[in-house]
Amino acid sequence: MLNKPVLVESLIVFIIVLFVHAVVWDRYSWCAVALAVQAFHVQFKWDRLLQLGGAVFQFRTAANSGLLPASMVIPLLGIAMKERCKSAGIVYFERFGIVVASTGMLVALFLSVIAVGITKPVPTNTCILTGVAGSVIIYTMKHSLTVSEVIEVLEVLLIFVYLSMILLYLLPRCFTPGEALLVLGGVSFVLNQLIKRSLNVIEGRGDPIDFFLLVAVVGVILLGLFFTVLFIFMDSGTWISSMFFHMMTAVLGLGVIMPWLYRLIQRNPLFWLLQFLFETQTRVYLLVYWTSLAASACGVVFYQNAKRSSESKKHRASTVTRKYFHFIVVATYVPGLIYDRQLLYVAAVLCLAVFIFLEYIRYFRIRPFGQTLRQLLSLFLDERDSGPLILTHIYLLLGMSLPVWLFPRSCAPKGTLSGAGALVPYSGVLAVGVGDTIASVFGSTMGEIKWPGTKKTFEGTMTAIFAQIIAVALILIFDSSVNLNSSYARILVSVSLVSLLEAYTTQIDNLLLPLYLQIMFMA
């Protein structure tokens, strides 16, 4: 029997796919539609595998596979980037967008083939559909990509295969198949880009903040893999192991990551970072302001844990309490987007590295803070944190930061896109900071009419749409660089579709919603 919420979620994704291709319909549009149709069919095979326990790895059980919404993110993002850079006349990034779209399609197709291959009995109709979609995609790639671009796509696919086998084995129940596709596909692409740029360094070529993002992401992931393998053979909770952890972190950071970044930016990374952070008085003010917000967030954590100690019956923070952090993040990102987006870019990278590093300390019980972090953060767990890692706060940071990191600066003549594209950096603020927060708070406190088959309410969704429209009006007032050029209908449709997707998806909405809103703003 088909799951009605999954059908509605799939319908919304199909509408978004057609919405993106409404302006320009070309060969990539046929590929996107073919991929969406086959992902829709394979999604139910994955759901059945998860229900019967037939999947090779252990996935998160409180959600469906999420294959369709995850499969379309990277291809649509690449197609939207291609069209924006094509209209700006930037050929290099137009080709880059095609590579991103092709990579996303091939990785999603590979995950579909895996599901079909391990399903017994073999679903004939789904196999035929997957074969047709694969033929359309491969035929288009053959006539669209150069030899070097094909090799690059295959390199990302190879990295994805190996990363999936390693991380899904080491981190059971942390992802759904769709979330694994989105997260590991993105990490695979970042790793391939870093290797490619490291082998072809040209002095003065490339923005240092882009290199900083690539090295930071790859560095913290390699650090985690190293310690995961190491602590298989030794107890991570002892003082000796903890001292070794801190020592090896310093050695790998100063001996591998720093020289790697030095090779890319051709200057001392520490001196560059300090000079960048304190270059202007505005940046100093922003850093002081952000430090005070970080202190207030820590204060909320300590206060809520103190309340739990006095009220022994309370074991989990309420939805409203968890949304405090969403409000703090909005207060953090909005001034950065208005006054200094480059500083926000770098600060978000630093925060991501710190968050992941602290999660390593918590996960491995590294002394002296590992056990304390476990106790403090356990209050804020929800059903999505069913695996050994706590990822919701990292997903929140990623959801707010990805629109800033993925903004096509080189294809924006004056640092901003025209029309609805001007709101691309604000996608995380609107979708997660405003929409998701308001929907959760109002839905849980005042909502009465539930969407069929879900726990989400009609009142929460409508309030979220209304709040995001008000937020867009406030952005127009306070950010003079935003010029919508009468794109109000497109903005309303985009916000409404993403809010409906939030009501029906069981995937990590902090990660999925900002990317879909960014795609529709860029299209």
Side-chain angles (χ1 to χ4, degrees):
M1 184 176 178
L2 296 180
N3 191 325
K4 289 184 179 179
V6 175
L7 289 176
V8 176
E9 177 192 51
S10 303
L11 177 62
I12 295 169
V13 173
F14 274 113
I15 293 173
I16 292 174
V17 171
L18 297 176
F19 178 86
V20 170
H21 294 284
V23 179
V24 179
W25 187 278
D26 55 17
R27 67 178 77 174
Y28 307 103
S29 305
W30 291 110
C31 292
V33 172
L35 180 66
V37 171
Q38 74 84 29
F40 172 76
H41 281 266
V42 175
Q43 178 172 250
F44 293 101
K45 306 304 176 187
W46 263 113
D47 290 343
R48 182 170 176 79
L49 284 172
L50 297 178
Q51 291 169 3
L52 299 176
V56 177
F57 301 104
Q58 296 182 55
F59 292 100
R60 190 161 65 87
T61 56
N64 67 307
S65 64
L67 187 64
L68 174 59
S71 294
M72 301 312 302
V73 169
I74 299 177
L76 290 179
L77 192 62
I79 290 169
M81 184 183 300
K82 172 186 76 73
E83 290 301 323
R84 281 289 180 176
C85 294
K86 182 179 179 180
S87 61
I90 311 296
V91 178
Y92 175 82
F93 285 100
E94 180 188 348
R95 300 300 308 174
F96 182 74
I98 294 174
V99 171
V100 171
S102 301
T103 302
M105 291 179 186
L106 202 61
V107 169
L109 195 65
F110 171 79
L111 199 63
S112 298
V113 171
I114 293 296
V116 172
I118 60 178
T119 301
K120 303 298 179 184
V122 177
T124 306
N125 294 337
T126 307
C127 284
I128 294 173
L129 193 59
T130 302
V132 171
S135 300
V136 171
I137 292 170
I138 293 173
Y139 178 82
T140 303
M141 288 174 59
K142 177 185 175 183
H143 290 82
S144 302
L145 302 178
T146 63
V147 175
S148 61
E149 289 170 343
V150 171
I151 294 174
E152 184 175 353
V153 171
L154 294 177
E155 287 170 350
V156 176
L157 180 60
L158 185 63
I159 295 171
F160 174 79
V161 172
Y162 280 106
L163 268 182
S164 299
M165 290 191 296
I166 296 170
L167 293 180
L168 291 179
Y169 172 75
L170 295 174
L171 303 173
R173 304 180 308 280
C174 285
F175 309 99
T176 64
E179 291 161 4
L181 168 63
L182 202 54
V183 174
L184 300 182
V187 171
S188 302
F189 196 87
V190 167
L191 178 56
N192 185 68
Q193 283 295 306
L194 180 58
I195 295 172
K196 176 184 174 183
R197 298 189 187 194
S198 299
L199 295 175
N200 298 282
V201 175
I202 300 176
E203 188 171 355
R205 180 83 175 268
D207 194 330
I209 66 174
D210 291 331
F211 293 135
F212 184 63
L213 171 64
L214 295 177
V215 172
V217 171
V218 174
V220 293
I221 290 173
L222 293 180
L223 194 68
L225 288 174
F226 173 79
F227 286 118
T228 300
V229 174
L230 178 67
F231 289 137
I232 291 175
F233 305 100
M234 58 190 300
D235 183 7
S236 62
T238 64
W239 273 108
I240 294 177
S241 298
S242 299
M243 290 175 64
F244 187 74
F245 173 88
H246 295 301
M247 182 183 69
M248 287 306 299
T249 298
V251 169
L252 293 172
L254 297 176
V256 177
I257 297 174
M258 296 291 286
W260 201 347
L261 188 55
Y262 178 85
R263 171 176 169 76
L264 291 169
I265 68 176
Q266 300 294 311
R267 67 187 84 169
N268 187 298
L270 285 177
F271 291 158
W272 168 79
L273 182 60
L274 290 173
Q275 181 183 6
F276 179 87
L277 292 176
F278 300 102
E279 189 173 4
T280 65
Q281 196 172 26
T282 302
R283 291 185 175 179
V284 175
Y285 290 150
L286 282 172
L287 290 173
V288 172
Y289 170 67
W290 289 339
T291 303
S292 65
L293 288 176
S296 66
C298 294
V300 171
V301 173
F302 288 122
Y303 174 72
Q304 292 297 327
N305 275 273
K307 283 182 63 178
R308 179 174 63 171
S309 300
S310 60
E311 302 172 11
S312 58
K313 292 183 180 180
K314 184 177 180 181
H315 299 288
R316 291 287 184 270
S318 66
T319 300
V320 176
T321 300
R322 288 199 296 269
K323 296 306 175 182
Y324 286 161
F325 299 102
H326 287 235
F327 286 117
I328 291 174
V329 170
V330 170
T332 301
Y333 273 72
V334 170
L337 288 168
I338 293 175
Y339 295 110
D340 198 327
R341 292 183 184 179
Q342 283 196 323
L343 178 64
L344 180 63
Y345 187 112
V346 172
V349 175
L350 287 172
C351 284
L352 177 64
V354 170
F355 276 20
I356 296 176
F357 184 72
L358 289 176
E359 180 58 21
Y360 291 158
I361 292 176
R362 187 206 64 84
Y363 175 63
F364 294 122
R365 305 188 311 278
I366 301 299
R367 299 187 179 186
F369 303 113
Q371 193 59 38
T372 303
L373 284 172
R374 285 194 167 213
Q375 294 172 355
L376 290 174
L377 295 180
S378 63
L379 176 65
F380 301 95
L381 295 176
D382 61 16
E383 69 276 1
R384 294 174 294 184
D385 293 311
S386 57
L389 295 184
I390 300 177
L391 296 172
T392 48
H393 61 297
I394 297 175
Y395 284 139
L396 174 60
L397 178 64
L398 283 174
M400 301 291 289
S401 303
L402 283 173
V404 180
W405 295 338
L406 299 177
F407 180 74
R409 299 190 307 277
S410 301
C411 302
K414 297 180 180 178
T416 183
L417 299 175
S418 59
L423 293 174
V424 164
Y426 288 94
S427 299
V429 172
L430 292 172
V432 175
V434 177
D436 181 45
T437 303
I438 297 298
S440 296
V441 172
F442 277 80
S444 61
T445 56
M446 293 182 286
E448 295 182 358
I449 306 173
K450 294 187 181 297
W451 290 106
T454 76
K455 297 179 181 179
K456 305 297 178 66
T457 64
F458 174 82
E459 293 89 345
T461 302
M462 293 300 106
T463 309
I465 296 172
F466 183 66
Q468 289 176 81
I469 297 302
I470 293 177
V472 170
L474 292 174
I475 291 170
L476 281 172
I477 294 171
F478 291 103
D479 191 346
S480 58
S481 66
V482 175
N483 181 11
L484 300 183
N485 292 336
S486 302
S487 302
Y488 304 112
R490 172 175 287 270
I491 294 169
L492 179 60
V493 172
S494 301
V495 166
S496 301
L497 286 174
V498 168
S499 297
L500 286 172
L501 184 61
E502 187 274 336
Y504 276 95
T505 188
T506 56
Q507 306 304 297
I508 299 294
D509 48 9
N510 288 348
L511 190 61
L512 199 65
L513 303 183
L515 291 173
Y516 268 113
L517 191 59
Q518 176 178 2
I519 288 167
M520 286 188 285
F521 282 161
M522 285 179 61

